[in-house]
Amino acid sequence: MKTTDVVIVGGGPNGLLMACELALAGVRPIVLERLPERSASPKANGLVGRVVQVLDYRGLYERFSRSTEPPTPAPYFQFGALFLDMSAWDGNALYTLPLPQYRMEELLEQRAHELGVEIRRGHEVTALSQDAEGVTVDVRGPDGSYRLTAGFLVGADGGHSGVRKQAGIGFPGITDKSFVGLSGQVTIHPPVAVPGTGELEVPGLGRLRPATFTRTENGVFSYGMFQPGVYRVAVFEWNRPPVEDRAFTPVEPPAKDRAFTPVEDLREAVNRVLGADVPMSDPADGQGPPPVRDTDGINSRLADRYRQGRVFLVGDAAHVQSGVGGPGLNLGMQDVINLAWKLAADVNGWAPEGLLDTYQSERRPAAERVIMNSRAQTALLSPGPNITALREVFTELLGDQSNVRRISDLMSGADVRYDMRSDGPAHPMTGGWMPDLALSIENGPTRVADLMHAARPILLNLAGRADLVEAASDWADRVDVVTATCEDRPADAVLIRPDGYVAWAAAPGTSGGADALRQALRTWFGLPVQATSLTGADLH
C-alpha cells in the first residue's frame, strides 16, 4: 500500500515549493532532506525573472519581499556584465528579488507546514525502485532505516542528484575549468563602502553598484548587499582551459590548513582581480552564514530526460549552468510550477492521456535556452583582447532597444511559449504567460495574480459570455469560472492553467468558440464530469 502520494527528495527551494503546490491541490507529499537542518552556506542571492511573478501568483511575494505592492520589473540589469537599459519600455518581465537562499527556504518551509506538509530532515534516500503502480524508496534516518512507497517521486536533490543516478538518467554536458572562484558574506569597511547606498567606491575603478559584474583582464567581481553593512561578494579568476565531458564531481570544500583565514583569501582574490584593495572582515555574529565558499569551475549540463517512469527531476537535478544572471531558481522553480499540477491531476484521477509527458516537452527546451545564454554570458566575461572586441560589438547592439528586449526576455524566461496542441489558428495569448490584468469582479477590484493563489485552472470570462460558461460547466469540479471586466480586454475569455500559462483564448468581439473551449478543457483537464452521457463524437 502507498505510504503517501508523492515523495519529494530534497528540501531546498524547489523541493519545498513542490510540496506547497501539491498540498494546495489536495495531494499528500513527504519531503525527505538529507541535511539535519537548513544549510547556512551561501548559495543563490535572490530571484531573477518570471519566477518573481510566479510567487506573486501564489500569494508568496509579500512574504518574500515584505512589500504589500505587486512586483515591479527591474529598469536596469546586466548581460555578461554589459548594461541593459529597460527603463523606457512597457512589458519588461525581468523582475528581481534579492533574498539569500537560506531565507527563501525558511519562508517556503513555513508555508509548507501551514499546508500540513510533512518534512523529514536528516533522512537520506539510499535506494529506489519502481513498477507500474508506484515507487519504493529505502531511507536512512536518525532512528534507523525504513521504507516508503508512493505513486510518484520527484528528485529535487541538486546537481549531484542521487535520484537521477539511481533512475539511470544521463547528465551530459561540459565542465569549464577555466577559472576558480571564491564567494562569501562579509563586512566591507569605509571608505570603500559608501554609507547608506550599498555602493562601493573602489580606488582606480570609481563607484560600483550592487548586483552588477565588473570584468577585468584578471577576472570578474560581483557583489550585493542584503542588510546594512553585510555584503555578498563573489570573485572569479581565469586560469585553465575548459575540459570537455569531464566527470561531474562535487565542489571541494575549502582546505582547512591554509595559511590565511577564508576572508583574507577572498580579500586577496578581489585585490588581484580589481587591482585595488577592498577592506573586509567576517560578518558580525548573527548576521549571516559562514563567510567563504570555493567554486572550482562551472558545470553546464542537462539531463537527457526529465522522467523515468514514475520518477521526475526538477531544478538542478535536471540542469546545472553558470549562475551569471541568476537563472537557476528562475528555471527550477518554474519546473516545479509546471510539473506539480500535472502530478496532482494524475493523483486526483482526472489527468488526460499524455499530460505528464508534457512536463519534459515544455520544460527541457526552456533549460536548453538558459544553458545557451549562460554559456554566452560566461564567454563575454572571459579575458583577452578578442573578447574585449566582442563586448564592444555587443555594446553597440544593445544600443537598439529591440535587441535589449530580446535579451531581457531570454534572461527572464518571457520568451517561453508552450505548444498548447490546439487545432486551427490560436489566439496570440495561447501558450504564453497570462499577464496580471487589473480586473473588476462582483466583490470589487482584483488582479489575475490574486485569482491564482489556489493553484487551480481558471476560465476568466471577460465579456459576459454565457455560452462559454456553460461549455465549462462540466469541468466545475476542477476548473473555476470567474466573470470579470477590465480595460482593453485582450480576449473575450481566457483559459489559464494552474502554472499561469494560457491554454486557450477567445478573440475579443467574436462569437462561437464553445467547441474549441471544450477541446482545450479535455486536452488539459481531462474528461468532463458528464462524460458517461456524451456521445463518441463529443469525446473526439
Side-chain angles (χ1 to χ4, degrees):
M1 295 180 62
K2 286 196 305 181
T3 310
T4 191
D5 294 324
V6 179
V7 167
I8 301 167
V9 183
N14 295 315
L16 292 170
L17 181 63
M18 175 65 72
C20 294
E21 288 289 292
L22 292 173
L24 282 172
V27 173
R28 297 171 302 139
I30 291 178
V31 178
L32 303 176
E33 169 52 53
R34 178 179 57 84
L35 298 177
E37 56 187 25
R38 282 189 301 275
S39 172
S41 177
K43 296 179 182 177
N45 298 323
L47 302 172
V48 177
R50 183 73 80 193
V51 65
V52 178
Q53 290 176 290
V54 167
L55 292 178
D56 188 33
Y57 279 36
R58 286 299 181 268
L60 295 171
Y61 178 75
E62 184 173 343
R63 295 187 189 215
F64 275 61
S65 66
R66 297 183 180 179
S67 171
T68 58
E69 297 298 318
T72 55
Y76 311 106
F77 206 68
Q78 287 191 327
F79 179 80
L82 297 172
F83 185 65
L84 299 177
D85 184 352
M86 301 166 290
S87 61
W89 42 272
D90 296 328
N92 174 20
L94 210 161
Y95 294 80
T96 61
L97 179 58
L99 193 69
Q101 182 168 323
Y102 64 85
R103 178 59 177 159
M104 297 181 209
E105 293 177 6
E106 181 181 22
L107 293 170
L108 286 170
E109 186 170 336
Q110 290 173 1
R111 177 57 173 158
H113 283 310
E114 291 171 6
L115 294 169
V117 173
E118 183 178 355
I119 300 172
R120 301 181 182 180
R121 291 198 171 273
H123 292 248
E124 181 177 7
V125 173
T126 58
L128 69 85
S129 61
Q130 62 174 309
D131 56 28
E133 301 301 320
V135 182
T136 300
V137 292
D138 293 329
V139 186
R140 181 170 55 239
D143 299 322
S145 298
Y146 62 96
R147 178 166 288 181
L148 280 176
T149 57
F152 296 98
L153 183 144
V154 176
D157 51 342
H160 306 290
S161 171
V163 169
R164 185 186 65 240
K165 295 170 185 174
Q166 292 186 57
I169 298 174
F171 205 38
I174 64 170
T175 299
D176 185 343
K177 302 288 288 187
S178 62
F179 66 90
V180 295
L182 289 174
S183 62
Q185 191 147 296
V186 300
T187 297
I188 298 179
H189 305 284
V192 170
V194 180
T197 68
E199 297 173 318
L200 301 180
E201 186 72 41
V202 180
L205 292 175
R207 188 71 59 99
L208 303 184
R209 297 171 56 189
T212 60
F213 290 83
T214 300
R215 172 193 177 265
T216 73
E217 288 300 328
N218 297 318
V220 178
F221 170 80
S222 66
Y223 80 99
M225 187 176 75
F226 296 105
Q227 53 185 307
V230 180
Y231 298 79
R232 176 74 185 277
V233 171
V235 61
F236 302 94
E237 297 178 87
W238 308 101
N239 59 2
R240 291 186 295 271
V243 179
E244 296 286 339
D245 294 324
R246 183 183 178 93
F248 188 55
T249 56
V251 174
E252 293 295 329
K256 297 185 182 300
D257 57 351
R258 291 182 173 175
F260 303 103
T261 66
V263 169
E264 288 173 341
D265 281 352
L266 181 59
R267 180 174 179 175
E268 289 193 358
V270 171
N271 193 328
R272 288 192 296 270
V273 168
L274 296 183
D277 185 43
V278 177
M280 61 183 70
S281 63
D282 289 348
D285 291 344
Q287 287 191 303
V292 174
R293 178 187 183 194
D294 276 348
T295 302
D296 186 14
I298 289 176
N299 279 285
S300 182
R301 296 177 178 273
L302 178 61
D304 56 29
R305 57 193 183 281
Y306 279 19
R307 176 187 186 184
Q308 180 62 42
R310 290 180 169 268
V311 175
F312 294 81
L313 304 177
V314 297
D316 286 357
H319 41 72
V320 292
Q321 61 285 313
S322 164
V324 176
L329 288 176
N330 186 33
L331 183 60
M333 293 174 84
Q334 287 197 80
D335 290 345
V336 169
I337 294 291
N338 184 285
L339 175 61
W341 73 270
K342 298 171 183 177
L343 283 179
D346 195 287
V347 171
N348 290 327
W350 55 260
E353 183 179 355
L355 180 65
L356 289 176
D357 291 331
T358 65
Y359 169 58
Q360 173 171 305
S361 65
E362 291 181 346
R363 293 306 299 164
R364 197 171 183 277
E368 289 174 340
R369 291 187 63 75
V370 167
I371 288 175
M372 173 193 71
N373 94 63
S374 67
R375 287 177 177 170
Q377 291 189 74
T378 301
L380 286 167
L381 292 171
S382 301
N386 290 341
I387 298 299
T388 299
L390 180 62
R391 292 173 61 83
E392 291 172 355
V393 172
F394 261 77
T395 299
E396 291 186 13
L397 292 173
L398 292 176
D400 185 331
Q401 283 295 298
S402 64
N403 291 332
V404 174
R405 186 181 292 272
R406 286 181 68 106
I407 294 293
S408 173
D409 287 350
L410 176 66
M411 295 184 72
S412 66
D415 60 345
V416 170
R417 182 169 293 273
Y418 299 141
D419 180 3
M420 292 299 174
R421 301 182 293 174
S422 60
D423 294 334
H427 188 282
M429 295 178 70
T430 304
W433 177 260
M434 179 64 195
D436 188 23
L437 303 177
L439 304 172
S440 179
I441 59 175
E442 185 178 0
N443 295 330
T446 188
R447 299 185 293 132
V448 167
D450 296 331
L451 302 179
M452 301 297 298
H453 288 185
R456 284 174 56 86
I458 291 175
L459 177 65
L460 184 59
N461 181 16
L462 296 173
R465 293 280 301 274
D467 59 325
L468 300 181
V469 173
E470 173 63 25
S473 62
D474 285 338
W475 285 266
D477 62 321
R478 69 204 78 147
V479 179
D480 295 333
V481 177
V482 177
T483 297
T485 59
C486 69
E487 293 185 9
D488 301 321
R489 70 176 187 268
D492 275 3
V494 185
L495 181 62
I496 312 168
R497 302 191 321 185
D499 58 357
Y501 284 81
V502 175
W504 172 88
T510 60
S511 60
D515 289 342
L517 172 58
R518 291 189 188 96
Q519 178 187 338
L521 288 163
R522 284 193 293 266
T523 297
W524 294 105
F525 309 120
L527 294 175
V529 174
Q530 305 298 328
T532 54
S533 65
L534 296 176
T535 67
D538 289 327
L539 291 172
H540 291 85

